[in-house]
Amino acid sequence: MDAVLELDGGDLASLIGLVRQHTGIAMNEHKRVLLQGRLRPRMRALGLSSYRDYIARVRGGGTEVQAFVDLVTTNDTAFFRTPAVWGYLEREFLPQWLARCGDVVLQAWSAAAASGEEAYSLAMLCREFQERHPQFRFQIHATDISGAVLRTAAAGHYAGRSVTRLAETHPALLAKYLRPEGTGQRVLPELRERIRFGEHNLLAAPCRVARFDLVLLRNVLIYFDEEHQRRALHGVRAAMAPHARLLLGEQESITRIDTPFEFERMHVYRIRKEHA
């Protein structure tokens, strides 16, 4: 079957349109090889002989839409990615938040959680902060558009590069919050229970738990075109408290587009006063 599984221009354009429709990700013709590589195994499993047949299956809706989303989304994350972000949270954001709002539970949102390393990193950071400040309480909500990758995140079992990176950068936290299991390491239940995982499309209605104090939306906007960046950011704002902070990825800047946010420092944005 592989001999006929070559994407022509029309089918490629249709797939790019479906990716944009269901995920907001802006692809172009240079993604032809990537799409072929990711979709072929699924087409074999479905017994389909052409991309046109598969496009019709996705357009028909149902469970294939989620399968398609799982295949075309990129889920690249790591424990404590970008040290400057975690330094800011530990030394500035958390102490300042506690001084201002110490009698309530911190609500944090990892808005493109992928396989969960970011959410667990935040949980470790908050738990360490809580040991120094027992009055501090927190809850983390972790969402992603891909149900498949969220199942990995909820399981909290990691191996390979994820564990190696954590061992190199934060060996004490690895020893404290993960335990060997099988060929990898599993996050302890006491940490997993601090995180609620759920599916959420950033282009849909705001996350149901509103009034977040902190939102991590890192390394996802780079895949969106400007229209979908604005749409996602307005949805995120609707779920944030007026004093909240938004954290973006290393290669992301939103100062050039009209959003409810203004630049505070590298990676960190606050809500504009007129939108608070």
Side-chain angles (χ1 to χ4, degrees), residues 19 23 25-27 31 34-35 38 68-77 81 112-115 143-146 149 161 202 218-224:
V19 171
T23 72
I25 296 172
M27 288 186 172
K31 298 297 184 180
L34 180 146
L35 286 171
R38 292 188 179 183
F68 176 70
V69 168
D70 290 343
L71 288 169
V72 301
T73 48
T74 298
N75 302 293
D76 183 25
T77 186
R81 187 175 184 177
S115 49
T143 64
D144 199 272
I145 194 174
S146 171
V149 76
R161 184 169 64 95
L202 288 165
R218 304 172 64 217
N219 305 301
V220 62
L221 293 178
I222 55 174
Y223 297 108
F224 290 1

Side-chain angles (χ1 to χ4, degrees), residues 79 159-170 174:
F79 287 107
R161 184 169 64 95
S162 285
V163 173
T164 300
R165 176 182 174 85
L166 186 58
E168 292 173 347
T169 60
H170 297 79
L174 172 63

Side-chain angles (χ1 to χ4, degrees), residues 118 160 167 236:
E118 177 181 86
V236 166

Side-chain angles (χ1 to χ4, degrees), residues 70-193:
D70 290 343
L71 288 169
V72 301
T73 48
T74 298
N75 302 293
D76 183 25
T77 186
F79 287 107
F80 294 100
R81 187 175 184 177
T82 313
V85 166
W86 303 101
Y88 160 75
L89 290 173
E90 179 182 16
R91 293 188 291 272
E92 298 185 48
F93 177 83
L94 289 179
Q96 292 170 7
W97 185 90
L98 183 62
R100 182 178 60 244
C101 310
D103 58 338
V104 298
V105 178
L106 172 76
Q107 298 289 343
W109 181 17
S110 176
S115 49
E117 287 95 329
E118 177 181 86
Y120 287 120
S121 297
L122 182 58
M124 292 181 210
L125 192 75
C126 287
R127 187 67 186 87
E128 292 293 294
F129 185 76
Q130 188 177 53
E131 289 188 355
R132 300 190 297 274
H133 306 278
Q135 72 273 32
F136 173 68
R137 296 174 295 158
F138 68 96
Q139 178 69 58
I140 299 170
H141 304 263
T143 64
D144 199 272
I145 194 174
S146 171
V149 76
L150 278 174
R151 288 189 287 276
T152 297
H157 187 270
Y158 299 98
R161 184 169 64 95
S162 285
V163 173
T164 300
R165 176 182 174 85
L166 186 58
E168 292 173 347
T169 60
H170 297 79
L173 295 182
L174 172 63
K176 187 173 182 177
Y177 293 111
L178 287 85
R179 292 292 180 268
E181 183 177 308
T183 58
Q185 301 265 347
R186 188 178 299 277
V187 178
L188 293 181
E190 68 182 69
L191 207 64
R192 298 205 307 272
E193 68 186 16

Side-chain angles (χ1 to χ4, degrees), residues 210-213 237 239-245 271:
R211 306 291 291 182
F212 287 111
D213 305 292
R237 164 61 192 97
M240 293 172 66
H243 60 262
R245 292 296 183 269
I271 298 169

